[in-house]
Amino acid sequence: MHDENMEQYYRERAPEYEQIYYRDNPERRQEIDDQAGQLRELVTGKKVLELACGTGYWTRVMSETAKSILASDLSAEMLKEAQAKKYHCPVSMIAADMFAYEFDESAFDVVVLGFWFSHQPRQDYQRLFDVLCRPLRGTGCIWMIDNNPPAEGPVMHSVGEDAHGNNFKKRYLDDGTEYVILKNYFERSELESAFGDRFRVESLVHKTYYWSAVLTPAG
């Protein structure tokens, strides 16, 4: 999937992106810290592929315990932010469209995807699932994290849905620039349904601000 509007939004947002992790809200902060703890445990001693790594926030978390990480993102601006961080294990970074780049097959213990599933068109879930499964070793797993609907902070107005039920919302950069992007939110039951035909759901945490899932391919 290649969405030029979404790509431009994240290119311009890169320098301010990590504000989402540091809002003055103790409950939100606690959820992030809890997710980080789960992720550190999951990737301990593992070879990790991170797709849509963004500014490297979760890359740095994983580097505390992982064996090695290959992190990729389409945006050079996001990767610039990520490359400025210090890591605790070998980390390689590449600019790549995860839907076009051929990552090594069956080469990774854990595949990580942060804050992307909400941008994936509902009609194209299977394409994304193929991307996640191909690089995964037989005993490996997938970890995802994403947003629940905002309960505080700037209002991000919905501008409607398309024929597939994809929701579109207004987003604003710090300078006031406005974008309209695809952004879906999910109840716990919707996630279970979306993942259930293709994966075993090993863990599904669904709280106020964030959800995360640990998935293993079924069959």
Side-chain angles (χ1 to χ4, degrees):
M1 188 192 81
H2 186 69
D3 182 332
E4 292 184 359
N5 180 67
M6 183 94 69
E7 180 181 342
Q8 184 62 29
Y9 168 70
Y10 277 109
R11 287 186 187 280
E12 294 193 20
R13 194 182 174 198
E16 62 197 59
Y17 179 78
E18 287 202 9
Q19 293 173 10
I20 66 171
Y21 298 117
Y22 300 105
R23 292 173 183 162
D24 187 17
N25 181 313
E27 183 182 0
R28 179 188 285 271
R29 183 69 247 174
Q30 187 62 56
E31 286 191 26
I32 285 289
D33 290 344
D34 290 346
Q35 295 286 358
Q38 179 195 37
L39 184 57
R40 288 188 194 96
E41 182 177 354
L42 186 70
V43 303
T44 297
K46 305 296 186 181
K47 185 177 180 181
V48 178
L49 171 62
E50 184 181 12
L51 303 173
C53 71
T55 58
Y57 182 91
W58 297 101
T59 320
R60 184 166 57 185
V61 168
M62 291 187 290
S63 77
E64 296 175 18
T65 57
K67 179 180 180 180
S68 65
I69 302 170
L70 174 58
S72 72
D73 200 280
L74 181 62
S75 167
E77 290 79 2
M78 285 286 187
L79 286 173
K80 181 180 178 180
E81 299 292 324
Q83 289 163 345
K85 290 181 169 62
K86 294 182 179 180
Y87 300 101
H88 304 281
C89 78
V91 175
S92 301
M93 293 187 176
I94 58 171
D97 179 347
M98 63 180 169
F99 293 98
Y101 189 89
E102 292 192 7
F103 295 96
D104 290 342
E105 188 171 356
S106 304
F108 297 91
D109 302 303
V110 183
V111 175
V112 167
L113 182 65
F115 298 95
W116 178 261
F117 193 66
S118 56
H119 297 316
Q120 181 70 19
R122 294 177 183 274
Q123 68 273 21
D124 287 337
Y125 285 165
Q126 294 306 315
R127 185 182 180 202
L128 174 64
F129 295 160
D130 288 343
V131 167
L132 296 174
C133 288
R134 185 179 181 276
L136 196 64
R137 288 176 178 160
T139 57
C141 66
I142 297 158
W143 185 83
M144 290 192 209
I145 187 171
D146 219 311
N147 305 97
N148 284 324
E152 46 82 29
V155 175
M156 291 172 282
H157 301 287
S158 175
V159 294
E161 295 186 352
D162 66 13
H164 300 283
N166 295 302
N167 184 52
F168 292 83
K169 304 204 82 168
K170 290 183 180 180
R171 286 288 182 86
Y172 300 92
L173 302 179
D174 285 352
D175 66 4
T177 303
E178 177 184 309
Y179 282 88
V180 174
I181 64 168
L182 189 160
K183 184 71 174 179
N184 292 320
Y185 296 112
F186 305 93
E187 298 292 338
R188 183 186 183 94
S189 59
E190 292 179 289
L191 292 169
E192 291 172 339
S193 177
F195 299 142
D197 290 340
R198 190 73 181 266
F199 301 103
R200 291 185 295 273
V201 181
E202 307 294 346
S203 170
L204 181 56
V205 177
H206 194 283
K207 294 194 172 181
T208 302
Y209 296 97
Y210 302 100
W211 62 263
S212 70
V214 177
L215 310 172
T216 54

